[in-house]
Amino acid sequence: MSFSMSRATLPALEIGLNALSAILDKAEAFAAAKKIDPSVLLNTRLAPDMFPLTRQVQIATDLAKNGAARLAGVEPPRYEDKETTIGELKARLAKTVAFIKTLDAKQIDAAPDRQITFPLGPTNKGEMKGDDYLNHFVLPNVYFHLTAAYAILRHCGLEIGKADFLGAIPMKQL
Amino acid sequence: MSFSMSRATLPALEIGLNALSAILDKAEAFAAAKKIDPSVLLNTRLAPDMFPLTRQVQIATDLAKNGAARLAGVEPPRYEDKETTIGELKARLAKTVAFIKTLDAKQIDAAPDRQITFPLGPTNKGEMKGDDYLNHFVLPNVYFHLTAAYAILRHCGLEIGKADFLGAIPMKQL
């Protein structure tokens, strides 16, 4: 069996987003147990000029849906960025996973040599070959924001570990 | 051209490690300009039970060399974890990139269906198919520690941005 671009894209994004959703469940339980307003967690930043948790989750889902959609050659859905609660962020993660599941794996498998053009901020655009776009833009960017969300919650005292970050990966423990 | 497992492994790891090395250059210049002992940065953690910067760099290189070596079917080199300066950490990153460059791309391309066994902590082992090992273990783990290192330095006030994290990716700006 040859290595498949759809397998490098779809399950990786789904597992990562679902893992973040499970981490948000733990964050909600943590806030309730400690009698912390969940919005304190959602507004926490690791540096004054870094994005807070809410925005990290929004960007992770944007990069995942936009990346997977462009690799599949379809228009990504637009989200409104109005989430203010953990429940709403979990709904956004679930909506993104559901969208990713609708994509055609065969289209993504045919993408390695297709030139992909994508917005970089409000005015610039980037262009990359499909396989480069996956390997050097979509995956590092998605994992960056998944890790940032995780690290903000660790910084707040949430007891989570690497297994929570990796999520339901197909690994056998020996 | 079909999607290649070696292309999803080798350039991604090299670019990520080199990007971290360039970030450490900026950290060194920042420490000098602010008259901060660089060991303050190297010992900073985002949470008391998270690893400090030095260990994040060590683990990122371990995961990269071990992951790429196992995919290529060769024994990974062992490092001693004795780094105490930014210069020594940069040498470790360079040594890792040089090792990765010695690996046989054809061996890695033949790895998707090979079962890969790897240590999980001091006593346990994990087992995954080669493509799953790359997609769901090596890449998320390496990006996790690269992001943690970046986030520690942002937390310390270093002025870096997403382009520093992504590094020298093959992207054309339009």
Side-chain angles (χ1 to χ4, degrees):
Chain A
M1 194 190 94
S2 73
F3 189 48
S4 142
M5 190 132 155
S6 60
R7 276 176 56 85
T9 305
L10 303 175
L13 297 176
E14 290 175 28
I15 290 172
L17 297 173
N18 284 330
L20 179 54
S21 185
I23 287 171
L24 290 179
D25 282 334
K26 292 192 175 186
E28 191 150 50
F30 170 79
K34 298 261 185 191
K35 304 195 192 309
I36 300 166
D37 183 336
S39 71
V40 174
L41 304 179
L42 295 176
N43 289 311
T44 297
R45 305 167 188 258
L46 293 174
D49 57 351
M50 283 182 86
F51 288 123
L53 177 57
T54 294
R55 194 80 196 107
Q56 299 290 353
V57 179
Q58 288 172 336
I59 299 175
T61 49
D62 281 347
L63 288 161
K65 74 174 168 59
N66 295 346
R70 290 187 185 113
L71 288 168
V74 305
E75 191 64 28
R78 281 178 175 269
Y79 295 165
E80 287 202 50
D81 301 334
K82 287 188 168 171
E83 293 82 5
T84 59
T85 65
I86 290 179
E88 286 168 6
L89 289 172
K90 281 173 49 73
R92 182 176 176 127
L93 287 160
K95 181 169 67 170
T96 306
V97 169
F99 168 71
I100 288 172
K101 281 182 188 296
T102 67
L103 296 171
D104 182 351
K106 286 204 190 73
Q107 290 285 338
I108 296 179
D109 288 336
D113 286 314
R114 212 167 65 225
Q115 290 294 326
I116 298 194
T117 305
F118 50 98
L120 282 178
T123 50
N124 294 335
K125 288 187 173 185
E127 187 182 72
M128 299 174 87
K129 271 180 72 237
D131 56 353
D132 287 337
Y133 177 62
L134 174 63
N135 294 331
H136 302 302
F137 193 88
V138 178
L139 294 178
N141 262 312
V142 169
Y143 287 126
F144 178 95
H145 292 282
L146 294 177
T147 304
Y150 170 99
I152 288 169
L153 288 167
R154 283 292 299 272
H155 184 64
C156 289
L158 184 62
E159 291 196 11
I160 46 177
K162 182 65 76 61
D164 294 292
F165 173 77
L166 291 177
I169 61 173
M171 181 177 72
K172 194 157 71 174
Q173 288 218 34
L174 305 181
Chain B
M1 194 193 93
S2 72
F3 190 48
S4 143
M5 188 132 158
S6 59
R7 277 175 57 87
T9 305
L10 302 174
L13 296 176
E14 290 175 27
I15 290 172
L17 297 173
N18 284 330
L20 179 54
S21 186
I23 287 171
L24 290 180
D25 282 335
K26 293 193 174 185
E28 190 149 51
F30 171 79
K34 298 262 184 190
K35 303 196 193 310
I36 300 166
D37 183 336
S39 70
V40 173
L41 304 179
L42 295 176
N43 290 310
T44 297
R45 305 166 189 261
L46 294 174
D49 57 350
M50 282 184 86
F51 287 123
L53 178 57
T54 295
R55 194 80 195 108
Q56 299 289 353
V57 179
Q58 289 171 337
I59 298 176
T61 50
D62 282 346
L63 288 161
K65 73 173 170 60
N66 294 346
R70 289 188 186 113
L71 289 168
V74 305
E75 190 64 27
R78 283 177 174 269
Y79 295 164
E80 288 202 45
D81 300 335
K82 287 187 168 172
E83 293 83 6
T84 59
T85 66
I86 290 179
E88 287 168 5
L89 289 172
K90 281 174 47 73
R92 181 176 176 127
L93 288 160
K95 182 169 66 171
T96 305
V97 170
F99 168 71
I100 287 171
K101 282 183 188 297
T102 68
L103 295 172
D104 182 352
K106 288 205 190 71
Q107 289 286 337
I108 296 177
D109 288 337
D113 286 314
R114 213 168 62 226
Q115 290 293 327
I116 297 194
T117 307
F118 51 97
L120 283 178
T123 50
N124 294 336
K125 288 186 172 188
E127 187 182 71
M128 299 174 88
K129 272 180 72 241
D131 56 354
D132 286 337
Y133 177 63
L134 174 64
N135 294 331
H136 302 302
F137 193 88
V138 178
L139 294 178
N141 262 311
V142 168
Y143 287 125
F144 177 95
H145 292 282
L146 294 176
T147 305
Y150 170 99
I152 288 169
L153 287 167
R154 284 291 299 272
H155 184 64
C156 289
L158 184 63
E159 290 196 11
I160 46 178
K162 181 64 77 58
D164 295 290
F165 173 78
L166 291 177
I169 61 173
M171 181 178 72
K172 195 157 71 175
Q173 289 217 32
L174 304 180

